């Protein structure tokens, strides 16, 4: 490409000003290779990005150049490592691709496939993909772990410096927790163990890498009254992220349109919103709603998570037709394990909640999302956690404070509601195999661990009651002893 056609950016580092440009090269096979050519503090660096077949494009290369720009300004950029040497062994990229192809052929769930693609494509292969299997050792695995920790530090340092690093889609990059980094190491161990069984390598270098320390809170289970407060809090939410005045805004748009006969443009100007937002609010105002609740979908969703024990991804994937109140069943068609595909019994408490909610969805197709967003789209786990559960918890805390009840003291996530369901079912006397089948546990280990907590709680209450009985029985005796101690001591003869 002509030199004048290259994109150049001035990069401001802590040393001399730096320049950078995107370089492209057309290979003999017709594929275009993208790379970055940088001059930082008088030193020239070349960072290979990848080919079109690996998902690289001009916009993605520009985003990566902007990320490098932000890292240099934040003082956390490091020169790229030299490419590894070639050999007759397959690269990790090639072997991992074959491994994933086999897993897909074995019939793994779609969500599992997408999770593997995310782990490999976003994190593992960009760093280790070019390594030949025989070149992979413990040092490479440790370097990968350190790279993810450095990457997290870079994102945080950039944020502190007022910069935002972005991914290939232009979205702000998010830091990985220790648990997420361990998850990447576990996948690496699984893939390389397959290479050992095929005699491609002698030992598994990922198996000996120490995992990062994680903190797992024990006993994150709600009491029944806390779950009820959370359901009620979700029912009080309306509009975006739990605002409480959206019903008034809906009615205002309807009044301006129907009574004042204003155009969409005039309504948008009057309310300082976009025309599309005005149209949406008008359409939403005409939908039937349950009395006192402008957005009942959030309440029904939280009730389903807490009273049916569904995984958050399973609840997000439900269609209206999957909720069968005639036979009191919720059908989970897509789950992370084979045991997860199941029918969940609907309790009376949940049935009354869902019956009232489904009445507001009259006329919707059975294939419509069971718990859609305000715009009718299907929710995902992040939306449920951030847009439903978090504001519902804040509202529940307000309600409990107003009523003089203690606050909910545990860290509440969608999985907390699943554990709460298991705990309440076991406390109610349901046997372990039944609860295990209801929640879709392939391994009873987790069900048994929660059962141990339930038994522990029950025993503690019993011990406390027994202690109180002993104290009540001891009170008359203590009074008698005190009376005896007040009598004069007879003198010795």
């Amino acid at each position: 490409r002509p030199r004048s056609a290259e994109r150049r950016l001035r990069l401001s580092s802590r040393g001399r000003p730096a320049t950078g440009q995107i370089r492209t090269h057309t290979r003999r096979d017709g594929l275009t290779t993208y790379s970055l050519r940088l001059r930082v503090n008088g030193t020239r660096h070349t960072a290979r990005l990848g080919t079109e077949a690996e998902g690289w494009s001009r916009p993605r290369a520009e985003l990566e150049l902007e990320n490098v720009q932000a890292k240099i300004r934040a003082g956390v950029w490091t020169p790229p490592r030299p490419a590894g040497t070639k050999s007759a062994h397959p690269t990790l990229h090639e072997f991992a691709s074959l491994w994933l192809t086999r897993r897909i052929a074995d019939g793994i769930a779609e969500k599992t496939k997408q999770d593997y693609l995310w782990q490999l494509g976003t994190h593992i292969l960009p760093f280790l993909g070019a390594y030949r299997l025989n070149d992979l050792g413990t040092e490479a695995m440790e370097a990968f772990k350190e790279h993810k920790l450095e990457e997290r530090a870079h994102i945080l340092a950039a944020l502190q410096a007022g910069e935002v690093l972005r991914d290939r889609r232009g979205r702000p990059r998010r830091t990985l927790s220790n648990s997420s980094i361990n998850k990447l190491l576990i996948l690496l161990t699984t893939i390389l163990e397959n290479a050992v069984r095929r005699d491609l390598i002698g030992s598994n270098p990922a198996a000996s890498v120490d995992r990062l320390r994680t903190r797992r809170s024990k006993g994150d289970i709600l009491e029944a009254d806390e779950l009820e407060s959370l359901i009620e809090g979700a029912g009080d939410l309306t509009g975006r992220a739990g605002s409480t005045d959206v019903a008034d805004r809906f009615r205002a748009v309807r009044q301006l349109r129907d009574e004042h006969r204003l155009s969409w443009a005039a309504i948008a100007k009057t309310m300082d919103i976009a025309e599309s937002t005005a149209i949406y609010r008008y359409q939403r105002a005409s939908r039937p709603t349950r009395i006192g609740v402008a957005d009942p979908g959030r309440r029904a969703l939280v009730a389903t998570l807490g009273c049916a024990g569904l995984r958050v991804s399973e609840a997000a994937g439900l269609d209206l037709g999957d909720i069968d109140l005639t036979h009191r069943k919720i059908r989970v068609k897509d789950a992370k394990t084979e045991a997860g595909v199941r029918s969940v019994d609907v309790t009376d408490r949940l049935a009354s909640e869902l019956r009232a909610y489904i009445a507001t969805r009259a006329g919707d197709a059975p294939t419509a999302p069971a718990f859609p967003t305000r715009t009718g789209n299907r929710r995902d786990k992040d939306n449920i956690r951030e847009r439903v559960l978090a504001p519902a918890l804040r509202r529940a805390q307000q309600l409990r404070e107003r009523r003089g009840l203690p606050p909910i003291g545990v860290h509440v996530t969608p999985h907390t509601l699943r554990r709460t369901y298991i705990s309440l079912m076991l406390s109610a006397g349901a046997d372990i195999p039944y609860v295990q089948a209801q929640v879709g546990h392939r391994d009873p280990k987790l069900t048994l661990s929660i059962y141990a907590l339930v038994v522990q709680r029950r025993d503690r209450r019993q011990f406390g009651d027994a202690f109180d009985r002993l104290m009540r029985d001891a009170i008359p005796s203590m009074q008698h002893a005190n009376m005896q101690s007040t009598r004069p001591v007879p003198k010795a003869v």
Side-chain angles (χ1 to χ4, degrees), residues 16 38-45:
R16 294 175 54 188
L38 308 163
R39 182 180 291 274
V40 182
N41 294 332
T43 303
R44 179 175 293 175
H45 303 277

Side-chain angles (χ1 to χ4, degrees), residues 49-333:
L49 301 179
T51 66
E52 295 171 308
E54 295 170 324
W56 284 96
S57 62
R58 187 79 181 183
R60 184 181 172 188
E62 290 174 351
L63 278 172
E64 183 61 23
L65 185 55
E66 291 176 3
N67 285 337
V68 172
Q69 176 189 20
K71 286 184 179 181
I72 292 177
R73 285 198 295 262
V76 295
W77 182 79
T78 55
R81 295 177 174 83
T85 57
K86 294 183 178 181
S87 72
H89 288 74
T91 64
L92 178 63
H93 195 154
E94 294 167 342
F95 184 78
S97 299
L98 290 174
W99 175 86
L100 183 57
T101 300
R102 297 188 198 103
R103 292 300 312 276
I104 294 173
D106 289 340
I108 60 175
E110 177 64 22
K111 287 183 175 61
T112 303
K113 184 184 85 170
Q114 294 301 325
D115 184 47
Y116 285 156
L117 287 172
W118 173 77
Q119 292 186 62
L120 290 168
T122 304
H123 297 285
I124 296 176
L125 296 183
F127 186 86
L128 295 172
Y131 278 84
R132 304 285 169 175
L133 291 184
N134 63 323
D135 292 332
L136 283 172
T138 304
E139 290 184 359
M141 298 294 108
E142 292 286 356
F144 170 70
K145 184 175 76 171
E146 291 299 322
H147 169 68
K148 302 316 294 183
L149 293 173
E150 289 176 6
E151 191 175 62
R152 180 169 68 189
H154 290 174
I155 295 173
L156 293 174
L159 289 173
Q160 292 175 356
E163 301 292 339
V164 178
L165 303 183
R166 300 186 179 275
D167 61 16
R168 68 178 68 177
R169 298 182 181 179
R171 300 173 301 186
R173 291 175 62 180
R174 303 175 64 177
T175 57
L176 291 182
S177 65
N178 284 1
S179 297
S180 297
I181 295 176
N182 286 343
K183 186 178 178 181
L184 300 176
L185 294 173
I186 292 171
L187 180 58
L188 268 171
T189 302
T190 302
I191 294 173
L192 294 177
E193 189 60 38
N194 188 267
V196 171
R197 290 198 299 269
R198 296 175 181 274
D199 294 327
L200 293 175
I201 52 177
S203 60
N204 189 340
S208 59
V209 177
D210 292 334
R211 302 294 188 258
L212 298 171
R213 295 184 62 181
T214 58
R215 294 181 179 179
R216 298 198 62 178
S217 54
K218 296 181 180 180
D220 280 351
I221 296 174
L222 299 175
E223 299 291 347
D225 66 290
E226 293 174 330
L227 176 58
E228 287 290 355
S229 294
L230 201 63
I231 294 172
E232 183 182 359
D236 280 357
L237 302 178
T238 56
R240 184 183 301 276
S243 59
T244 56
D245 63 340
V246 72
D248 295 335
R249 287 181 278 151
F250 289 165
R251 285 192 292 269
V253 171
R254 191 175 184 86
Q255 184 179 21
L256 292 173
R257 182 67 175 178
D258 292 347
E259 298 180 15
H260 298 279
R261 305 294 182 180
L262 295 183
S263 65
W264 294 122
I267 294 174
K269 184 177 180 179
T270 301
M271 301 192 69
D272 194 23
I273 57 176
E275 288 188 44
S276 58
T277 303
I279 295 172
Y280 162 74
R281 290 182 181 176
Y282 180 83
Q283 293 173 341
R284 181 61 186 273
S286 63
R287 294 182 188 174
T289 58
R290 193 148 45 97
I291 297 175
V293 181
D295 189 4
R298 290 188 178 95
R299 179 181 174 111
L301 173 55
V302 172
T304 301
L305 290 171
C307 300
L310 269 61
R311 297 179 177 91
V312 63
S313 58
E314 295 169 350
L318 284 180
D319 295 334
L320 270 179
D322 296 328
I323 301 175
D324 182 2
L325 293 182
T326 301
H327 301 96
R328 306 286 283 273
K329 298 285 186 182
I330 294 178
R331 288 185 290 270
V332 180
K333 303 189 299 292

